[in-house]
Amino acid sequence: MTAYTALSERPAHRTDKDDVLKRLRRIEGQVRGLQRMVEEDTYCIDVLTQVGAATKALQSFALTLLEDHLHSCVADAAAEGGDRAREKAEEASRAVARMLRS
């Protein structure tokens, strides 16, 4: 099951799907704004400033998603114990490592 397929089965602490989609639409708007800035030959430093804002928005989104994953998928697997718990913890660890490298 993916992170946002079964809203009715999701624990209350998870971020609401509508909130997630709203954040992604805002980020999409920021990227479209960058395209317009390039089309309009906006000063490079101003474009770079907006790139930083879009990057921070994506990072914030990723952290929220990671937190949700830790509080639900990883916590559920830890409660079960065994190999599944170890797999979910390692999966989360690899995701954090990828985020830090990017």
Side-chain angles (χ1 to χ4, degrees):
M1 177 166 72
T2 60
Y4 292 98
T5 55
L7 289 176
S8 61
E9 299 171 16
R10 197 166 359 124
H13 62 268
R14 299 270 320 257
T15 301
D16 182 61
K17 183 177 179 178
D18 290 336
D19 292 340
V20 168
L21 291 172
K22 190 183 304 182
R23 287 181 77 174
L24 286 173
R25 285 185 197 104
R26 269 195 303 264
I27 294 167
E28 181 182 25
Q30 286 178 297
V31 172
R32 274 197 238 106
L34 285 166
Q35 291 171 331
R36 276 191 304 277
M37 291 175 85
V38 170
E39 288 168 355
E40 296 169 359
D41 294 321
T42 303
Y43 185 58
C44 295
I45 298 302
D46 294 337
V47 176
L48 288 170
T49 299
Q50 292 306 311
V51 167
T55 299
K56 289 294 183 187
L58 277 170
Q59 289 171 341
S60 176
F61 170 76
L63 288 173
T64 299
L65 191 60
L66 177 62
E67 183 179 5
D68 285 349
H69 180 69
L70 291 172
H71 286 288
S72 59
C73 298
V74 176
D76 291 347
E80 288 179 21
D83 289 339
R84 186 166 185 269
R86 190 171 21 269
E87 289 169 8
K88 288 294 180 183
E90 289 173 2
E91 178 184 59
S93 179
R94 286 191 305 271
V96 169
R98 282 191 304 272
M99 286 173 51
L100 291 173
R101 283 192 298 266
S102 62

